Amino acid sequence: MQQKWQRWNISFRKWLWIMVIVGLVAALAVAYDRLQTERSSKTVEIVFDYRDLVDVASYRAKPQDYIAEQLDRLKGAGVQSMAVSESTLDDLRKARRIMIWGSTEAAALTEGVVQENENYTYVLFTSGDNYKALEPSIRQTFSDTGIATRNWSFRGQQGLIIETPLEEATLKPMQPDPLTIDMLHAKGFNIVPRLLDSLTYNQESVAKLLQYYESVNVTRIIFEGDSVKGFSDNERLNSLNAFSDLLKEHGMGIAVIENLKSQQKGFNKLAYNLDYNVARLYSLSETDSGLDPVVIADRFALATKDRNIRMLYLNTAPSRDLTKAKITDTLDNLITSLSDSNGAVQKIQDNGFTLGQATAAEVVDSPYQRYFKLIAVIGAVALVALMISYFIPWLTLPALVLGLVGSAGLLVLKPVLFEQALALAAAISAPTLGMVLAIRKINVLGPPLRNGNIGTANAKKSNARIGYTVMSPQRRFAHSLVLYVKTALISLSAVPFVVALLNNVTYSLVLEQFRGVSLLHIAPIGLVALYVLLYRGEFTFNKTGNLLRMPVTVAMVILAGVLGVLGLYYISRTGNSGSVSSLEMSFRTFLENTVHVRPRNKEFLLAHPLFILGAFLALKYRNAAFLMIVAVIGQLSMVDTFAHIHSPLLISLVRGLLGLGLGAIIGIVAVLAWQIAERCWKRWSPLLKR
């Protein structure tokens, strides 16, 4: 009965293959919708932080002339927008709109005596126009926070006394300087406001502010701090919903900043309320703004092309240069990186983008997408069951049934967990399955086993062959290339399932992230290693006890340590946080400039060539199959490329195919080099023995 059950499970594999193929077709239809979504947004906006410009100008002899000059230069370099933060008294002081003192300094200024029980802030406007433009918003800001203000004047200039210490008064954010916004708008810059969530939410004030922003053509807002506007008061005032209603009323979207340590609180809810009118933003830090202009240009070009970034945010800061005995900044460096003949603007345009106000992607969701997704789910479960069947055949049918039932349950209870778990399982299964089938084929075509007590059917067939002779190098080479293509196709079969299951704008905007990338980089290696060790004769299941009882030697400990270090380095390179050396960065830049899409180094320099060489050698030297354990890295890496949902599908596809092509070329060269070395060894080794 047990044998019959196993035969039924093995014979059921063909139906699993059919289910996988049908699921693939359905998943490709979903992938087409995502492709249409990605093509809907092709405008890139370059934004400069105006507050940084004011900071730098405050160290110049003529600040206003310097600001005007740099604005013209930035405009000519391709900067279309200025980010304007909510003003503070300190910002207005740096902009020469006001002068501020504490009670002690004000007493000295007016030649009076400081009051013992007074610690106020004294504000003096530098002109009548500044008083008219700024006095109402300053009064309103402090009135809303319960701080009294009263009129004050000095030598004919109008001012205010704010009844709070100077240190606290300079922290209160207020409406942006309208004089600055009018000046920037007149110069042709788009305005990108930055809003804080530090004060109590006031719907009337926010409505008035957004109405003003709409009058100067504001279309997108950025948030400062660790939360979005209205989050702190949401439980009490339902302010997030109220704020999102105002944004929709005035046709404004928001921007999500890439690589924040943690997402700004309330951002996901606000994005959902706005129907994901969200653009991705890459911010170049003050420190990085001093990098080589070529490096900055490459960063911007890659961000827009490879990561769906639609807003590039520039920062600068004044710094003391003791070697030049002067205050310097990075404005010249930034302008060069943008406007050079091979600068960021030219590269971005060459990649098919236009410069302008960033727009959110228009999500394409065809009426039949949900049905295609359902079919894709069944296909993904069948793929996982198929992989399991080659390790434990009698679990084939139970794995399929449990997978379908479990998927249905998770889909109802925790849909996000369901789609991520199934996508991860499919991503692990396909490269593992491809490598297992390749190893099984090598077992059949390669040399027979020395041990006749074999646990697998393919190994028994291999041992039963009479008069086995080693294939010619030409035949081994041809078989290796065929296996290379077949395995790659099987590995890539996971891609449509991953794309279909994670086809949600929240993944494209990185509001949700695909979890389990580290497991994807480990599990196929472990499973293939398990198959090579336990399913090829020397270490079948009935002999695993011998392996466990094997004495441990110093060499084994050293080898384990080396493998552990290599494994830690390999894991450190996975995911978005992996670091690379300067040499590798230079090589990446060379590839980007040469072929415009950078394939992954570990694929075409290591894993893919090792697959071809390993298969070629294993067809003659049985133990060379251990090389396939490392070669699986290339297969899983191709799938992992598509797990970065924020990368465009076509870019990921070209990257994978390019890696396969370059890897094949290097693999062919490696086989030829081996053949030459092997023939030289056969010819010269007898002479060396003499």
Side-chain angles (χ1 to χ4, degrees), residues 214-230:
E214 186 180 12
S215 70
V216 291
N217 301 322
V218 169
T219 60
R220 201 160 300 280
I221 287 173
I222 306 172
F223 299 105
E224 289 190 86
D226 60 359
S227 61
V228 302
K229 188 77 173 177

Side-chain angles (χ1 to χ4, degrees), residues 14 34 90 113 116 122 134 347 484 491 517 537 584 648 660:
K14 63 182 178 182
R34 176 179 153 185
D90 194 51
V113 178
E116 292 183 0
Y122 287 72
L134 301 174
K347 288 186 174 183
Y484 180 65
S491 297
V517 172
E584 187 171 352
L660 281 169

Side-chain angles (χ1 to χ4, degrees), residues 465-479:
R465 282 178 288 146
I466 305 298
Y468 173 81
T469 56
V470 177
M471 290 184 191
S472 66
Q474 293 81 0
R475 285 193 63 197
R476 286 191 288 139
F477 179 66
H479 279 297

Side-chain angles (χ1 to χ4, degrees), residues 607-677:
H608 290 335
L610 201 59
F611 182 103
I612 294 174
L613 181 62
F616 178 80
L617 294 178
L619 290 170
K620 181 178 180 181
Y621 309 105
R622 184 169 182 78
N623 287 334
F626 285 94
L627 294 174
M628 306 300 277
I629 298 173
V630 181
V632 72
I633 292 174
Q635 307 301 311
L636 66 88
S637 178
M638 289 192 300
V639 178
D640 175 62
T641 297
F642 290 87
H644 295 76
I645 309 299
H646 57 273
S647 295
L649 267 179
L650 288 180
I651 293 292
S652 298
L653 180 61
V654 173
R655 175 171 291 141
L657 295 178
L658 193 58
L660 281 169
L662 292 175
I665 294 171
I666 297 174
I668 292 170
V669 172
V671 169
L672 293 175
W674 177 271
Q675 281 296 99
I676 293 171

Side-chain angles (χ1 to χ4, degrees), residues 271-322:
Y272 175 79
N273 289 347
L274 294 175
D275 301 321
Y276 296 103
N277 184 3
V278 180
R280 297 193 72 220
L281 179 148
Y282 169 70
S283 178
L284 186 76
S285 67
E286 292 90 345
T287 303
D288 288 348
S289 67
L291 292 171
D292 187 287
V294 175
V295 174
I296 295 175
D298 287 339
R299 281 195 183 186
F300 287 166
L302 284 172
T304 53
K305 178 170 66 72
D306 287 9
R307 303 199 303 277
N308 277 327
I309 295 294
R310 293 297 176 263
M311 299 183 78
L312 300 171
Y313 195 96
L314 310 182
N315 293 276
T316 190
S319 60
R320 298 176 183 272
D321 190 336
L322 298 179

Side-chain angles (χ1 to χ4, degrees), residues 140-165:
Q140 185 66 46
T141 296
F142 288 97
S143 174
D144 289 345
T145 55
I147 298 172
T149 60
R150 62 178 187 267
N151 291 327
W152 175 67
S153 64
F154 179 69
R155 293 182 179 177
Q157 293 295 106
Q158 294 170 299
L160 291 172
I161 297 176
I162 303 172
E163 296 184 2
T164 191

Side-chain angles (χ1 to χ4, degrees), residues 181-460:
I181 291 180
D182 291 343
M183 179 270 293
L184 293 173
H185 189 58
K187 280 184 170 290
F189 287 102
N190 301 314
I191 306 300
V192 181
R194 300 194 66 178
L195 300 184
L196 279 163
D197 187 41
S198 55
L199 300 181
T200 301
Y201 182 83
N202 186 307
Q203 180 78 348
E204 184 179 350
S205 297
V206 174
K208 188 182 300 183
L209 179 64
L210 294 186
Q211 186 174 7
Y212 170 63
Y213 283 155
E214 186 180 12
S215 70
V216 291
N217 301 322
V218 169
T219 60
R220 201 160 300 280
I221 287 173
I222 306 172
F223 299 105
E224 289 190 86
D226 60 359
S227 61
V228 302
K229 188 77 173 177
F231 172 79
S232 300
D233 301 306
N234 187 54
E235 290 187 7
R236 184 169 56 90
L237 301 175
N238 195 28
S239 46
L240 279 180
N241 288 335
F243 181 48
S244 60
D245 288 342
L246 285 175
L247 288 173
K248 292 177 76 172
E249 178 184 336
H250 294 285
M252 296 179 190
I254 55 179
V256 56
I257 304 172
E258 183 186 56
N259 290 337
L260 288 178
K261 291 183 178 179
S262 59
Q263 186 56 267
Q264 292 168 312
K265 298 172 185 175
F267 192 96
N268 286 17
K269 179 177 176 59
L270 187 61
Y272 175 79
N273 289 347
L274 294 175
D275 301 321
Y276 296 103
N277 184 3
V278 180
R280 297 193 72 220
L281 179 148
Y282 169 70
S283 178
L284 186 76
S285 67
E286 292 90 345
T287 303
D288 288 348
S289 67
L291 292 171
D292 187 287
V294 175
V295 174
I296 295 175
D298 287 339
R299 281 195 183 186
F300 287 166
L302 284 172
T304 53
K305 178 170 66 72
D306 287 9
R307 303 199 303 277
N308 277 327
I309 295 294
R310 293 297 176 263
M311 299 183 78
L312 300 171
Y313 195 96
L314 310 182
N315 293 276
T316 190
S319 60
R320 298 176 183 272
D321 190 336
L322 298 179
T323 61
K324 298 179 181 178
K326 62 186 295 188
I327 303 297
T328 62
D329 57 68
T330 57
L331 275 168
D332 289 343
N333 196 61
L334 288 172
I335 289 171
T336 300
S337 70
L338 293 173
S339 60
D340 195 62
S341 59
N342 196 30
V345 171
Q346 186 63 50
K347 288 186 174 183
I348 290 169
Q349 291 175 335
D350 289 344
N351 289 331
F353 297 97
T354 57
L355 299 183
Q357 287 183 295
T359 58
E362 297 178 9
V363 179
V364 176
D365 189 356
S366 62
Y368 299 103
Q369 186 178 130
R370 65 179 65 183
Y371 304 109
F372 287 135
K373 271 192 174 183
L374 179 60
I375 298 172
V377 165
I378 298 172
V381 172
L383 179 62
V384 177
L386 195 57
M387 186 272 291
I388 293 173
S389 75
Y390 284 97
F391 285 87
I392 311 174
W394 58 269
L395 273 182
T396 304
L397 283 170
L400 177 66
V401 174
L402 289 175
L404 292 174
V405 173
S407 295
L410 274 179
L411 181 59
V412 174
L413 299 175
K414 294 186 176 181
V416 175
L417 177 61
F418 154 72
E419 62 192 15
Q420 293 202 19
L422 186 55
L424 177 61
I428 291 172
S429 297
T432 303
L433 179 61
M435 292 300 294
V436 164
L437 292 176
I439 293 167
R440 286 166 65 90
K441 190 67 174 178
I442 290 171
N443 285 348
V444 173
L445 298 176
L449 300 172
R450 288 172 294 178
N451 184 354
N453 187 15
I454 307 303
T456 65
N458 280 333
K460 288 179 180 178

Side-chain angles (χ1 to χ4, degrees), residues 9 43 107 123 148 178 213 231 240 282 400 432 497 521 679 684:
N9 280 272
T43 306
V123 177
Y213 283 155
F231 172 79
L240 279 180
Y282 169 70
L400 177 66
T432 303
F497 293 123
H521 281 80
R679 290 185 180 184
W684 297 105

